Amino acid sequence: MTARTHPDVALPPEFFDRDPRRVARDLLGKLLIRRQGRQTLIARVVETEAYLGKNDPAAHSASGRTARNEVIFGPPGFAYVYFIYGNHYCLNVSCLPDGEAGGVLFRAVEPITGITAMAKARDLPESSCHRLTNGPGKLTEALSITRADNGVNLTDRTESLYLAEDNFPRPRIAATPRIGISKATALKLRYLIPNNPFVSKP
DNA sequence: GAGGAGATCGTCT
DNA sequence: GACGATCTCCTCT
């Protein structure tokens, strides 16, 4: 895909000051930017999941505010990164006003710029491009996202990690049940771009 | 290609 | 002390 990208226009805080379901849908097609020294890695968001603060047993915020989930109770547009299964990091962005819990999990992105660096971070050949970022644990590894990025302001383009606008045409969107959880599995809160080869599972 | 089990550790009970 | 918003490898088809 060779659409012209516009990584200099960060998404504003207001974009995230809404219901996570709206934010999760609207994030599809947007850009995730990672600066590594002189290099800039760019990826397009193709799959997300919404996690609601209230009435969502599957969300980390369900059992109340703790040191770990502090960020998703805070102001909108900040990175919530957590460590899971002893191996992997997952990237979320906080939604709703300060004091209200809610967030969006990034499940898959499409590499656009810096594929060589992403492949190196994943310890995979560039030829397996479609396997670099098609999963929440994979995309954080490809973009070298760790606990150090927890609490980063994703609406600030001077940060080393942020989200950007793009002129990508508004994609068609499909909603399915969320993946990898055991609670509230009936809710269709997973959003993806149908037929995009970089989503985690069809 | 599908299905299953193990790895591995921070967080909360 | 149990479990988890996952991934990879191994086996079988």
Side-chain angles (χ1 to χ4, degrees), chain A residues 42-72:
Chain A
I42 303 179
R44 190 182 308 287
V45 180
V46 298
E47 182 181 341
T48 58
E49 279 181 2
Y51 284 86
L52 317 177
K54 296 175 182 174
N55 305 321
D56 186 359
H60 285 180
S61 52
S63 53
R65 193 168 185 157
T66 66
R68 180 204 197 190
N69 62 26
E70 181 78 24
V71 175
I72 46 177

PDB file of all heavy atoms in Angstrom, chain A residues 42-72:
ATOM      1  N   ILE A  42       6.911   3.684  10.808  1.00  0.00           N
ATOM      2  CA  ILE A  42       5.501   4.047  10.629  1.00  0.00           C
ATOM      3  C   ILE A  42       4.693   2.801  10.320  1.00  0.00           C
ATOM      4  O   ILE A  42       5.098   1.959   9.520  1.00  0.00           O
ATOM      5  CB  ILE A  42       5.335   5.061   9.480  1.00  0.00           C
ATOM      6  CG1 ILE A  42       6.180   6.313   9.753  1.00  0.00           C
ATOM      7  CG2 ILE A  42       3.863   5.446   9.317  1.00  0.00           C
ATOM      8  CD1 ILE A  42       6.092   7.357   8.666  1.00  0.00           C
ATOM      9  N   ALA A  43       3.536   2.685  10.988  1.00  0.00           N
ATOM     10  CA  ALA A  43       2.651   1.554  10.741  1.00  0.00           C
ATOM     11  C   ALA A  43       1.202   2.037  10.755  1.00  0.00           C
ATOM     12  O   ALA A  43       0.867   2.979  11.474  1.00  0.00           O
ATOM     13  CB  ALA A  43       2.857   0.469  11.785  1.00  0.00           C
ATOM     14  N   ARG A  44       0.367   1.381   9.944  1.00  0.00           N
ATOM     15  CA  ARG A  44      -1.036   1.771   9.891  1.00  0.00           C
ATOM     16  C   ARG A  44      -1.870   0.833  10.777  1.00  0.00           C
ATOM     17  O   ARG A  44      -1.683  -0.381  10.744  1.00  0.00           O
ATOM     18  CB  ARG A  44      -1.556   1.709   8.453  1.00  0.00           C
ATOM     19  CG  ARG A  44      -2.938   2.338   8.294  1.00  0.00           C
ATOM     20  CD  ARG A  44      -3.466   2.224   6.872  1.00  0.00           C
ATOM     21  NE  ARG A  44      -2.532   2.722   5.874  1.00  0.00           N
ATOM     22  CZ  ARG A  44      -2.259   4.004   5.662  1.00  0.00           C
ATOM     23  NH1 ARG A  44      -2.851   4.925   6.386  1.00  0.00           N
ATOM     24  NH2 ARG A  44      -1.406   4.367   4.730  1.00  0.00           N
ATOM     25  N   VAL A  45      -2.770   1.410  11.551  1.00  0.00           N
ATOM     26  CA  VAL A  45      -3.608   0.623  12.452  1.00  0.00           C
ATOM     27  C   VAL A  45      -4.675  -0.115  11.641  1.00  0.00           C
ATOM     28  O   VAL A  45      -5.426   0.504  10.878  1.00  0.00           O
ATOM     29  CB  VAL A  45      -4.285   1.534  13.491  1.00  0.00           C
ATOM     30  CG1 VAL A  45      -5.158   0.718  14.435  1.00  0.00           C
ATOM     31  CG2 VAL A  45      -3.242   2.323  14.274  1.00  0.00           C
ATOM     32  N   VAL A  46      -4.722  -1.448  11.776  1.00  0.00           N
ATOM     33  CA  VAL A  46      -5.700  -2.224  11.008  1.00  0.00           C
ATOM     34  C   VAL A  46      -6.616  -3.070  11.896  1.00  0.00           C
ATOM     35  O   VAL A  46      -7.579  -3.658  11.418  1.00  0.00           O
ATOM     36  CB  VAL A  46      -5.011  -3.138   9.973  1.00  0.00           C
ATOM     37  CG1 VAL A  46      -4.225  -2.307   8.963  1.00  0.00           C
ATOM     38  CG2 VAL A  46      -4.121  -4.157  10.641  1.00  0.00           C
ATOM     39  N   GLU A  47      -6.319  -3.150  13.195  1.00  0.00           N
ATOM     40  CA  GLU A  47      -7.151  -3.961  14.099  1.00  0.00           C
ATOM     41  C   GLU A  47      -7.058  -3.437  15.526  1.00  0.00           C
ATOM     42  O   GLU A  47      -5.957  -3.201  16.030  1.00  0.00           O
ATOM     43  CB  GLU A  47      -6.699  -5.427  14.036  1.00  0.00           C
ATOM     44  CG  GLU A  47      -7.529  -6.359  14.910  1.00  0.00           C
ATOM     45  CD  GLU A  47      -7.019  -7.807  14.837  1.00  0.00           C
ATOM     46  OE1 GLU A  47      -6.292  -8.133  13.878  1.00  0.00           O
ATOM     47  OE2 GLU A  47      -7.353  -8.573  15.751  1.00  0.00           O
ATOM     48  N   THR A  48      -8.214  -3.247  16.169  1.00  0.00           N
ATOM     49  CA  THR A  48      -8.247  -2.724  17.541  1.00  0.00           C
ATOM     50  C   THR A  48      -9.309  -3.457  18.354  1.00  0.00           C
ATOM     51  O   THR A  48     -10.169  -4.149  17.789  1.00  0.00           O
ATOM     52  CB  THR A  48      -8.592  -1.221  17.549  1.00  0.00           C
ATOM     53  OG1 THR A  48      -9.864  -1.036  16.907  1.00  0.00           O
ATOM     54  CG2 THR A  48      -7.549  -0.390  16.832  1.00  0.00           C
ATOM     55  N   GLU A  49      -9.244  -3.296  19.672  1.00  0.00           N
ATOM     56  CA  GLU A  49     -10.314  -3.778  20.542  1.00  0.00           C
ATOM     57  C   GLU A  49     -10.634  -2.712  21.569  1.00  0.00           C
ATOM     58  O   GLU A  49      -9.734  -2.062  22.100  1.00  0.00           O
ATOM     59  CB  GLU A  49      -9.897  -5.070  21.267  1.00  0.00           C
ATOM     60  CG  GLU A  49     -10.046  -6.312  20.426  1.00  0.00           C
ATOM     61  CD  GLU A  49      -9.642  -7.579  21.164  1.00  0.00           C
ATOM     62  OE1 GLU A  49      -9.276  -7.488  22.347  1.00  0.00           O
ATOM     63  OE2 GLU A  49      -9.688  -8.649  20.561  1.00  0.00           O
ATOM     64  N   ALA A  50     -11.936  -2.551  21.856  1.00  0.00           N
ATOM     65  CA  ALA A  50     -12.354  -1.579  22.867  1.00  0.00           C
ATOM     66  C   ALA A  50     -12.512  -2.268  24.215  1.00  0.00           C
ATOM     67  O   ALA A  50     -13.042  -3.381  24.297  1.00  0.00           O
ATOM     68  CB  ALA A  50     -13.668  -0.934  22.439  1.00  0.00           C
ATOM     69  N   TYR A  51     -12.027  -1.619  25.266  1.00  0.00           N
ATOM     70  CA  TYR A  51     -12.228  -2.108  26.631  1.00  0.00           C
ATOM     71  C   TYR A  51     -12.908  -1.010  27.439  1.00  0.00           C
ATOM     72  O   TYR A  51     -12.379   0.095  27.572  1.00  0.00           O
ATOM     73  CB  TYR A  51     -10.900  -2.551  27.255  1.00  0.00           C
ATOM     74  CG  TYR A  51     -10.485  -3.895  26.701  1.00  0.00           C
ATOM     75  CD1 TYR A  51      -9.758  -3.977  25.515  1.00  0.00           C
ATOM     76  CD2 TYR A  51     -10.899  -5.072  27.303  1.00  0.00           C
ATOM     77  CE1 TYR A  51      -9.420  -5.206  24.971  1.00  0.00           C
ATOM     78  CE2 TYR A  51     -10.576  -6.305  26.777  1.00  0.00           C
ATOM     79  CZ  TYR A  51      -9.838  -6.368  25.606  1.00  0.00           C
ATOM     80  OH  TYR A  51      -9.524  -7.584  25.065  1.00  0.00           O
ATOM     81  N   LEU A  52     -14.089  -1.338  27.932  1.00  0.00           N
ATOM     82  CA  LEU A  52     -14.907  -0.345  28.610  1.00  0.00           C
ATOM     83  C   LEU A  52     -14.574  -0.344  30.098  1.00  0.00           C
ATOM     84  O   LEU A  52     -14.258  -1.372  30.675  1.00  0.00           O
ATOM     85  CB  LEU A  52     -16.384  -0.668  28.398  1.00  0.00           C
ATOM     86  CG  LEU A  52     -16.747  -1.082  26.957  1.00  0.00           C
ATOM     87  CD1 LEU A  52     -18.235  -1.442  26.876  1.00  0.00           C
ATOM     88  CD2 LEU A  52     -16.400   0.020  25.974  1.00  0.00           C
ATOM     89  N   GLY A  53     -14.653   0.789  30.699  1.00  0.00           N
ATOM     90  CA  GLY A  53     -14.331   0.859  32.121  1.00  0.00           C
ATOM     91  C   GLY A  53     -15.405   0.221  32.976  1.00  0.00           C
ATOM     92  O   GLY A  53     -15.133  -0.593  33.848  1.00  0.00           O
ATOM     93  N   LYS A  54     -16.644   0.558  32.674  1.00  0.00           N
ATOM     94  CA  LYS A  54     -17.756   0.045  33.460  1.00  0.00           C
ATOM     95  C   LYS A  54     -18.443  -1.086  32.720  1.00  0.00           C
ATOM     96  O   LYS A  54     -18.507  -1.112  31.507  1.00  0.00           O
ATOM     97  CB  LYS A  54     -18.772   1.160  33.720  1.00  0.00           C
ATOM     98  CG  LYS A  54     -18.213   2.294  34.566  1.00  0.00           C
ATOM     99  CD  LYS A  54     -19.238   3.414  34.669  1.00  0.00           C
ATOM    100  CE  LYS A  54     -18.690   4.588  35.482  1.00  0.00           C
ATOM    101  NZ  LYS A  54     -19.609   5.733  35.479  1.00  0.00           N
ATOM    102  N   ASN A  55     -19.001  -2.019  33.463  1.00  0.00           N
ATOM    103  CA  ASN A  55     -19.768  -3.116  32.884  1.00  0.00           C
ATOM    104  C   ASN A  55     -18.975  -3.918  31.855  1.00  0.00           C
ATOM    105  O   ASN A  55     -19.535  -4.421  30.896  1.00  0.00           O
ATOM    106  CB  ASN A  55     -21.048  -2.584  32.223  1.00  0.00           C
ATOM    107  CG  ASN A  55     -21.880  -1.776  33.191  1.00  0.00           C
ATOM    108  OD1 ASN A  55     -21.995  -2.129  34.370  1.00  0.00           O
ATOM    109  ND2 ASN A  55     -22.440  -0.680  32.730  1.00  0.00           N
ATOM    110  N   ASP A  56     -17.675  -3.999  32.042  1.00  0.00           N
ATOM    111  CA  ASP A  56     -16.853  -4.808  31.154  1.00  0.00           C
ATOM    112  C   ASP A  56     -15.903  -5.658  31.989  1.00  0.00           C
ATOM    113  O   ASP A  56     -14.799  -5.239  32.317  1.00  0.00           O
ATOM    114  CB  ASP A  56     -16.064  -3.916  30.195  1.00  0.00           C
ATOM    115  CG  ASP A  56     -15.306  -4.738  29.151  1.00  0.00           C
ATOM    116  OD1 ASP A  56     -15.391  -5.990  29.189  1.00  0.00           O
ATOM    117  OD2 ASP A  56     -14.627  -4.134  28.303  1.00  0.00           O
ATOM    118  N   PRO A  57     -16.323  -6.878  32.345  1.00  0.00           N
ATOM    119  CA  PRO A  57     -15.518  -7.753  33.209  1.00  0.00           C
ATOM    120  C   PRO A  57     -14.175  -8.109  32.592  1.00  0.00           C
ATOM    121  O   PRO A  57     -13.255  -8.509  33.305  1.00  0.00           O
ATOM    122  CB  PRO A  57     -16.380  -9.012  33.353  1.00  0.00           C
ATOM    123  CG  PRO A  57     -17.721  -8.664  32.813  1.00  0.00           C
ATOM    124  CD  PRO A  57     -17.568  -7.496  31.895  1.00  0.00           C
ATOM    125  N   ALA A  58     -14.048  -7.977  31.263  1.00  0.00           N
ATOM    126  CA  ALA A  58     -12.804  -8.358  30.593  1.00  0.00           C
ATOM    127  C   ALA A  58     -11.744  -7.266  30.691  1.00  0.00           C
ATOM    128  O   ALA A  58     -10.578  -7.511  30.411  1.00  0.00           O
ATOM    129  CB  ALA A  58     -13.077  -8.668  29.119  1.00  0.00           C
ATOM    130  N   ALA A  59     -12.130  -6.070  31.087  1.00  0.00           N
ATOM    131  CA  ALA A  59     -11.183  -4.956  31.123  1.00  0.00           C
ATOM    132  C   ALA A  59     -10.342  -4.989  32.393  1.00  0.00           C
ATOM    133  O   ALA A  59     -10.814  -5.417  33.450  1.00  0.00           O
ATOM    134  CB  ALA A  59     -11.930  -3.627  31.036  1.00  0.00           C
ATOM    135  N   HIS A  60      -9.113  -4.546  32.288  1.00  0.00           N
ATOM    136  CA  HIS A  60      -8.240  -4.509  33.464  1.00  0.00           C
ATOM    137  C   HIS A  60      -8.771  -3.562  34.525  1.00  0.00           C
ATOM    138  O   HIS A  60      -8.437  -3.685  35.700  1.00  0.00           O
ATOM    139  CB  HIS A  60      -6.829  -4.065  33.049  1.00  0.00           C
ATOM    140  CG  HIS A  60      -6.048  -5.142  32.347  1.00  0.00           C
ATOM    141  ND1 HIS A  60      -4.777  -4.960  31.893  1.00  0.00           N
ATOM    142  CD2 HIS A  60      -6.387  -6.411  32.029  1.00  0.00           C
ATOM    143  CE1 HIS A  60      -4.336  -6.076  31.323  1.00  0.00           C
ATOM    144  NE2 HIS A  60      -5.305  -6.962  31.387  1.00  0.00           N
ATOM    145  N   SER A  61      -9.584  -2.627  34.112  1.00  0.00           N
ATOM    146  CA  SER A  61     -10.107  -1.636  35.050  1.00  0.00           C
ATOM    147  C   SER A  61     -11.308  -2.165  35.825  1.00  0.00           C
ATOM    148  O   SER A  61     -11.785  -1.516  36.752  1.00  0.00           O
ATOM    149  CB  SER A  61     -10.514  -0.377  34.281  1.00  0.00           C
ATOM    150  OG  SER A  61     -11.372  -0.723  33.200  1.00  0.00           O
ATOM    151  N   ALA A  62     -11.772  -3.381  35.488  1.00  0.00           N
ATOM    152  CA  ALA A  62     -13.002  -3.904  36.077  1.00  0.00           C
ATOM    153  C   ALA A  62     -12.926  -4.006  37.597  1.00  0.00           C
ATOM    154  O   ALA A  62     -13.908  -3.783  38.293  1.00  0.00           O
ATOM    155  CB  ALA A  62     -13.324  -5.260  35.474  1.00  0.00           C
ATOM    156  N   SER A  63     -11.741  -4.352  38.099  1.00  0.00           N
ATOM    157  CA  SER A  63     -11.629  -4.538  39.546  1.00  0.00           C
ATOM    158  C   SER A  63     -11.059  -3.312  40.250  1.00  0.00           C
ATOM    159  O   SER A  63     -10.540  -3.413  41.362  1.00  0.00           O
ATOM    160  CB  SER A  63     -10.771  -5.765  39.844  1.00  0.00           C
ATOM    161  OG  SER A  63      -9.533  -5.695  39.173  1.00  0.00           O
ATOM    162  N   GLY A  64     -11.168  -2.171  39.611  1.00  0.00           N
ATOM    163  CA  GLY A  64     -10.765  -0.945  40.278  1.00  0.00           C
ATOM    164  C   GLY A  64      -9.384  -0.438  39.911  1.00  0.00           C
ATOM    165  O   GLY A  64      -8.626  -1.093  39.208  1.00  0.00           O
ATOM    166  N   ARG A  65      -9.110   0.738  40.422  1.00  0.00           N
ATOM    167  CA  ARG A  65      -7.868   1.429  40.095  1.00  0.00           C
ATOM    168  C   ARG A  65      -6.698   0.859  40.888  1.00  0.00           C
ATOM    169  O   ARG A  65      -6.769   0.717  42.101  1.00  0.00           O
ATOM    170  CB  ARG A  65      -8.052   2.910  40.417  1.00  0.00           C
ATOM    171  CG  ARG A  65      -6.989   3.825  39.873  1.00  0.00           C
ATOM    172  CD  ARG A  65      -7.462   5.278  40.026  1.00  0.00           C
ATOM    173  NE  ARG A  65      -6.541   6.214  39.426  1.00  0.00           N
ATOM    174  CZ  ARG A  65      -6.895   7.443  39.025  1.00  0.00           C
ATOM    175  NH1 ARG A  65      -8.151   7.835  39.160  1.00  0.00           N
ATOM    176  NH2 ARG A  65      -6.014   8.249  38.489  1.00  0.00           N
ATOM    177  N   THR A  66      -5.610   0.519  40.195  1.00  0.00           N
ATOM    178  CA  THR A  66      -4.400   0.026  40.858  1.00  0.00           C
ATOM    179  C   THR A  66      -3.191   0.734  40.251  1.00  0.00           C
ATOM    180  O   THR A  66      -3.319   1.493  39.286  1.00  0.00           O
ATOM    181  CB  THR A  66      -4.216  -1.491  40.650  1.00  0.00           C
ATOM    182  OG1 THR A  66      -3.975  -1.742  39.258  1.00  0.00           O
ATOM    183  CG2 THR A  66      -5.442  -2.274  41.084  1.00  0.00           C
ATOM    184  N   ALA A  67      -2.034   0.464  40.802  1.00  0.00           N
ATOM    185  CA  ALA A  67      -0.809   1.075  40.277  1.00  0.00           C
ATOM    186  C   ALA A  67      -0.603   0.666  38.822  1.00  0.00           C
ATOM    187  O   ALA A  67      -0.125   1.441  38.003  1.00  0.00           O
ATOM    188  CB  ALA A  67       0.392   0.655  41.116  1.00  0.00           C
ATOM    189  N   ARG A  68      -1.000  -0.562  38.509  1.00  0.00           N
ATOM    190  CA  ARG A  68      -0.784  -1.066  37.154  1.00  0.00           C
ATOM    191  C   ARG A  68      -1.663  -0.360  36.130  1.00  0.00           C
ATOM    192  O   ARG A  68      -1.191   0.061  35.081  1.00  0.00           O
ATOM    193  CB  ARG A  68      -1.076  -2.566  37.146  1.00  0.00           C
ATOM    194  CG  ARG A  68      -0.905  -3.238  35.815  1.00  0.00           C
ATOM    195  CD  ARG A  68      -1.757  -4.504  35.790  1.00  0.00           C
ATOM    196  NE  ARG A  68      -1.370  -5.425  34.741  1.00  0.00           N
ATOM    197  CZ  ARG A  68      -2.099  -6.486  34.414  1.00  0.00           C
ATOM    198  NH1 ARG A  68      -3.208  -6.756  35.069  1.00  0.00           N
ATOM    199  NH2 ARG A  68      -1.716  -7.275  33.448  1.00  0.00           N
ATOM    200  N   ASN A  69      -2.964  -0.260  36.413  1.00  0.00           N
ATOM    201  CA  ASN A  69      -3.881   0.274  35.398  1.00  0.00           C
ATOM    202  C   ASN A  69      -4.154   1.765  35.541  1.00  0.00           C
ATOM    203  O   ASN A  69      -5.091   2.293  34.927  1.00  0.00           O
ATOM    204  CB  ASN A  69      -5.191  -0.511  35.406  1.00  0.00           C
ATOM    205  CG  ASN A  69      -5.924  -0.395  36.726  1.00  0.00           C
ATOM    206  OD1 ASN A  69      -5.771   0.573  37.446  1.00  0.00           O
ATOM    207  ND2 ASN A  69      -6.729  -1.385  37.041  1.00  0.00           N
ATOM    208  N   GLU A  70      -3.358   2.426  36.337  1.00  0.00           N
ATOM    209  CA  GLU A  70      -3.501   3.855  36.593  1.00  0.00           C
ATOM    210  C   GLU A  70      -3.781   4.678  35.325  1.00  0.00           C
ATOM    211  O   GLU A  70      -4.664   5.546  35.313  1.00  0.00           O
ATOM    212  CB  GLU A  70      -2.201   4.356  37.245  1.00  0.00           C
ATOM    213  CG  GLU A  70      -2.172   5.817  37.597  1.00  0.00           C
ATOM    214  CD  GLU A  70      -2.949   6.099  38.871  1.00  0.00           C
ATOM    215  OE1 GLU A  70      -3.096   5.169  39.690  1.00  0.00           O
ATOM    216  OE2 GLU A  70      -3.403   7.241  39.033  1.00  0.00           O
ATOM    217  N   VAL A  71      -3.063   4.372  34.267  1.00  0.00           N
ATOM    218  CA  VAL A  71      -3.120   5.220  33.065  1.00  0.00           C
ATOM    219  C   VAL A  71      -4.513   5.240  32.424  1.00  0.00           C
ATOM    220  O   VAL A  71      -4.970   6.284  31.957  1.00  0.00           O
ATOM    221  CB  VAL A  71      -2.071   4.760  32.024  1.00  0.00           C
ATOM    222  CG1 VAL A  71      -2.214   5.548  30.724  1.00  0.00           C
ATOM    223  CG2 VAL A  71      -0.678   4.925  32.585  1.00  0.00           C
ATOM    224  N   ILE A  72      -5.212   4.086  32.424  1.00  0.00           N
ATOM    225  CA  ILE A  72      -6.520   4.086  31.749  1.00  0.00           C
ATOM    226  C   ILE A  72      -7.598   4.793  32.566  1.00  0.00           C
ATOM    227  O   ILE A  72      -8.692   5.028  32.079  1.00  0.00           O
ATOM    228  CB  ILE A  72      -7.003   2.658  31.366  1.00  0.00           C
ATOM    229  CG1 ILE A  72      -6.815   1.676  32.506  1.00  0.00           C
ATOM    230  CG2 ILE A  72      -6.342   2.177  30.106  1.00  0.00           C
ATOM    231  CD1 ILE A  72      -7.348   0.295  32.180  1.00  0.00           C
TER     232      ILE A  72
END
